[in-house]
Amino acid sequence: MDVGDWGKTAEQGWMPMNSGGADTMAAPSFVYTISCVAKMLGEPEDWLEELASMNLEPEDGCLGIIEDLDVPAEQLATVTAFTDAGIEALRELVAEAKRQSGGMGSEG
C-alpha cells in the first residue's frame, strides 16, 4: 500500500482511505522548484514568481516549500514549487501574459 492510500482520523489513527472512487486523484510524486521551472519554460524566474504569486493557489499546483526551520521566524523563507498541473497552469499564464502584452512577455 502506498503512503497516499492512508488517512488519519482522530479516533482511529492512521487507516487506509478509499482506494477506488471516481473522485480520487493521484498525488504528485515530484514538485519542481521555481528555478527549475524557469529553465524549463525559458522565462525569467522573478517574472514567473510574480505571475504565480498573483494568480495560482495550492489547488492549482503551486506550493510553498519551507527549506529550513532552524532560523528565526522572521527569516523563515519558502521556495515556490510546482506540480505538473502547476507547471501547465503557469505555462497558460505565461501565454496569456504574452498575448496581452503583444508577445513581449516579461519584457513588456
Side-chain angles (χ1 to χ4, degrees), residues 52 55-63 82-90:
N55 297 287
L56 298 178
E57 300 293 333
E59 55 268 21
D60 300 316
C62 180
L63 308 170
F82 301 89
T83 63
D84 288 336
I87 295 170
E88 186 56 35
L90 187 60

Side-chain angles (χ1 to χ4, degrees), residues 48-103:
L48 293 179
E49 183 80 55
E50 182 180 340
L51 280 176
S53 69
M54 293 188 316
N55 297 287
L56 298 178
E57 300 293 333
E59 55 268 21
D60 300 316
C62 180
L63 308 170
I65 298 175
I66 298 171
E67 189 171 9
D68 186 3
L69 288 176
D70 293 330
V71 296
E74 64 274 1
Q75 293 178 3
L76 189 64
T78 62
V79 175
T80 302
F82 301 89
T83 63
D84 288 336
I87 295 170
E88 186 56 35
L90 187 60
R91 190 184 314 264
E92 291 171 11
L93 283 173
V94 166
E96 179 62 26
K98 287 183 176 184
R99 275 193 297 276
Q100 289 180 355
S101 68

Side-chain angles (χ1 to χ4, degrees), residues 1-7 15-17 19 26-29:
M1 192 170 275
D2 189 346
V3 171
D5 296 332
W6 293 85
M15 59 179 277
M17 294 177 62
S19 60
S29 298

